[in-house]
Amino acid sequence: MSMNIEECNKGAIDSDHARLHELGYKQELKRDLSVLSNFAFSFSIISVLTGLNTLFGTGLSFGGPISYIYGWLIAGSFTMVVGLSMAEICSSYPTSGGLYYWSAMLAGPTWAPFASWITGWFNIVGQWAVTTSVDYSLAQLLQVIILLSTGGVNGGGYQASKYVVIALHAAILLLHAILNSLPISWLSFFGQLAAAWNVLGVFLLMILIPAVATERASTKFVFTNFNTENEGGIGNKVYIFVLGLLMSQYTLLGYDASAHMTEETKDADKNGPKGIVGAIGISLIVGWAYILGITFAVTDIPHLLSKNNDAGGYAIAQIFYDAFNNRFGSGVGGILCLGIIAVAIFFCGMSSLTSNSRMAYAFSRDGAMPFSPFWRKVNEQEVPINAVWMSALIAFCMALTIQLLIISYTSLGSLVAFQAMTSIATIGLYIAYALPSLFRVTLARKSFTPGPFNLGRYGVVVGWIAVLWVAVISVLFSLSVAYPITDQTLNYTPVAVGGLLILLLSSWFFSARHWFKGPITNIEV
């Protein structure tokens, strides 16, 4: 007699519990996530509507169509390589700790604590930076929506101060913390809703905006135009193209969420890797389609980037507003379309905080964070509640720091400030992504035991390509985005990332190496 669905699910969960027990942990989080739910968390954090629209102005400034259309394919291809390498490792070690646990297992007993320490801290700080930048970008978009709804720059619309933006950011993080305090079944529903919203939103906007626009770009413009005019005073085409890659690489970020959610996923050693690869693959397809569709509505790049347009220089908002205003004499339709993007960004921030909290929970479970016993606590709904609120608070503090810098240095352009924020998030997380792969192809080249999802003999080659790509973008996104270089135009990304590395190394040599032993078991013997 065949087993019914409930019996099959129970068998899968029991198998997952046994596998987690084998890795050294008892099950503390509820396994309610299917492969679709696991995928949805990563897909909603990648969120094509978030990254591409938030940094569309960056893409236009540094290269324009030819930069982001082909840059998307370049960055996307290498991102898939990074994702495949991560997925193979995830299949072998399906725990919420994800990357830092992988590094410990792959580096071997001697190097495990140090490898785990560096990877874990880069991972969690990178995640905090992602949550910061996502929710900060939503606060900025809401500011623009309010501005356009009240008449725009040229119609006397309300322009929120930097302090209002800070308050909006705090309110968004508060809502995300409240939602993440709900049971995982609710978050699973919101995650799947977010995935559906992103897909439907992409196809609606990529068709609607060019269709409504009274003027459309030619095919030649879409596929061959290269914009060299930018407020940073940069003229070298190769340099410009490289800076334009940030739009694509920042968008394709956050798929490690599938790894951090594995302890809440059924058949984790198969579905976790599928979540990583599936989220990247589908994002590549729908993202490129969206870029093409919206670019057909781009006809005047200087106008879209001008601080004197109705949206105050927020390029994607001006595209939407102009399309409807020129066609119907009112930009209300464009504002409603911006609302679709705002909801997608909201879901992205929510899922990002979910991933943050699981990472913080796992890292605390292994004693790596100050006051670890407090942050690792799980409530009666099996939610790491303290880790949720800590992550939200840290994300707010990071954004507040950026805002205070802008306020203190009045000539510090928003382009430089936001570019630094997104670069820090991108580099910080990608360093964490690359470290397990580096250990996989070096120290563990002969000892690595693949899981159900594996790359066979191509695993080492894929791992090396992933590591080299991360090394390349870490240099590229540390380059200055404005000249001449002064204290107010300097790209502070290498300062922030280098400072973090120095802090981590110092804390390791002077303190952590004496007490942090890497991932520790919590099985009661």
Side-chain angles (χ1 to χ4, degrees):
M1 182 182 295
S2 61
M3 294 189 295
N4 59 33
I5 294 176
E6 289 185 3
E7 290 173 329
C8 288
N9 284 339
K10 183 179 184 300
I13 292 174
D14 286 343
S15 175
D16 282 323
H17 287 181
R19 177 61 176 142
L20 190 62
H21 188 280
E22 180 185 332
L23 295 175
Y25 299 108
K26 62 183 179 180
Q27 184 70 38
E28 295 184 297
L29 305 176
K30 186 176 293 184
R31 288 196 186 272
D32 277 350
L33 300 184
S34 63
V35 62
L36 177 61
S37 297
N38 183 285
F39 152 83
F41 277 106
S42 280
F43 184 72
S44 60
I45 294 177
I46 292 178
S47 183
V48 167
L49 289 178
T50 298
L52 291 182
N53 289 305
T54 297
L55 290 181
F56 199 78
T58 298
L60 286 178
S61 295
F62 299 112
I66 202 170
S67 177
Y68 54 70
I69 285 177
Y70 300 107
W72 179 261
L73 297 177
I74 293 171
S77 298
F78 282 107
T79 297
M80 179 57 81
V81 171
V82 176
L84 284 169
S85 183
M86 289 172 59
E88 181 182 50
I89 302 172
C90 177
S91 184
S92 292
Y93 310 113
T95 73
S96 290
L99 311 174
Y100 83 87
Y101 184 93
W102 306 347
S103 288
M105 296 299 103
L106 295 168
T110 302
W111 289 98
F114 178 70
S116 180
W117 178 262
I118 293 295
T119 304
W121 277 109
F122 265 110
N123 191 188
I124 198 167
V125 172
Q127 284 189 335
W128 285 331
V130 168
T131 301
T132 300
S133 61
V134 169
D135 282 6
Y136 180 74
S137 67
L138 177 55
Q140 286 185 314
L141 179 58
L142 292 177
Q143 171 198 8
V144 173
I145 290 174
I146 294 170
L147 172 63
L148 291 174
S149 299
T150 54
V153 170
N154 299 308
Y158 173 74
Q159 299 190 57
S161 69
K162 295 178 177 68
Y163 301 101
V164 172
V165 174
I166 292 173
L168 285 172
H169 184 255
I172 294 165
L173 278 167
L174 177 63
L175 284 174
H176 284 159
I178 292 172
L179 287 174
N180 273 279
S181 301
L182 298 174
I184 189 62
S185 56
W186 282 90
L187 290 177
S188 174
F189 167 76
F190 286 128
Q192 293 181 55
L193 177 62
W197 187 276
N198 269 277
V199 172
L200 294 176
V202 162
F203 284 104
L204 172 64
L205 295 176
M206 64 175 275
I207 295 171
L208 180 62
I209 299 303
V212 170
T214 55
E215 295 183 29
R216 298 182 190 88
S218 66
T219 302
K220 180 180 179 181
F221 175 90
V222 171
F223 288 99
T224 65
N225 180 268
F226 191 82
N227 176 44
T228 58
E229 299 297 324
N230 54 80
E231 65 180 60
I234 300 170
N236 184 279
K237 289 187 176 182
V238 175
Y239 198 121
I240 290 172
F241 184 84
V242 162
L243 293 179
L245 283 176
L246 179 61
M247 184 185 91
S248 300
Q249 199 65 70
Y250 171 72
T251 302
L252 297 167
L253 194 67
Y255 43 87
D256 59 314
S258 288
H260 296 303
M261 302 305 293
T262 50
E263 288 186 36
E264 295 162 88
T265 301
K266 303 166 189 172
D267 285 329
D269 55 358
K270 302 182 186 73
N271 292 337
K274 289 178 183 177
I276 293 172
V277 176
I280 297 172
I282 294 177
S283 294
L284 284 179
I285 296 170
V286 299
W288 202 61
Y290 183 76
I291 289 172
L292 286 176
I294 296 301
T295 303
F296 275 101
V298 174
T299 56
D300 187 350
I301 293 177
H303 164 66
L304 296 176
L305 296 174
S306 172
K307 294 292 188 292
N308 296 319
N309 63 29
D310 285 304
Y314 199 108
I316 200 70
Q318 192 64 42
I319 292 171
F320 289 9
Y321 189 79
D322 284 346
F324 281 88
N325 194 44
N326 293 341
R327 172 73 68 177
F328 303 109
S330 170
V332 172
I335 296 172
L336 293 176
C337 288
L338 290 176
I340 295 174
I341 295 173
V343 172
I345 299 176
F346 182 85
F347 280 138
C348 177
M350 179 201 74
S351 297
S352 181
L353 186 60
T354 305
S355 181
N356 269 193
S357 62
R358 271 49 180 186
M359 170 61 197
Y361 155 78
F363 213 28
S364 297
R365 181 174 61 184
D366 290 321
M369 300 184 67
F371 311 109
S372 284
F374 183 74
W375 305 125
R376 71 170 303 280
K377 286 192 176 182
V378 176
N379 66 9
E380 59 273 11
Q381 282 81 39
E382 300 182 31
V383 173
I385 191 74
N386 295 341
V388 167
W389 287 90
M390 172 192 66
S391 296
L393 178 61
I394 290 177
F396 173 71
C397 291
M398 291 177 77
L400 183 61
T401 301
I402 295 293
Q403 281 285 22
L404 290 176
L405 282 173
I406 296 174
I407 292 170
S408 299
Y409 295 93
T410 55
S411 63
L412 180 62
S414 58
L415 173 65
V416 174
F418 193 72
Q419 191 97 351
M421 187 189 299
T422 53
S423 294
I424 291 167
T426 304
I427 294 175
L429 263 190
Y430 268 98
I431 288 175
Y433 290 178
L435 286 173
S437 294
L438 177 62
F439 300 131
R440 154 77 174 93
V441 299
T442 53
L443 298 175
R445 180 169 182 169
K446 295 181 179 179
S447 61
F448 176 69
T449 302
F453 181 97
N454 65 83
L455 304 176
R457 60 179 179 173
Y458 299 106
V460 173
V461 175
V462 169
W464 272 118
I465 296 174
V467 170
L468 291 174
W469 176 247
V470 172
V472 169
I473 63 174
S474 296
V475 174
L476 298 184
F477 298 153
S478 296
L479 299 174
S480 178
V481 298
Y483 286 87
I485 298 177
T486 67
D487 62 335
Q488 296 184 27
T489 61
L490 176 69
N491 184 348
Y492 287 92
T493 302
V495 176
V497 175
L500 174 61
L501 179 60
I502 292 172
L503 180 62
L504 294 181
L505 291 175
S506 299
S507 62
W508 172 258
F509 285 111
F510 291 110
S511 176
R513 68 188 177 95
H514 299 296
W515 52 265
F516 182 66
K517 305 304 179 185
I520 56 176
T521 62
N522 67 355
I523 296 175
E524 298 175 3
V525 182

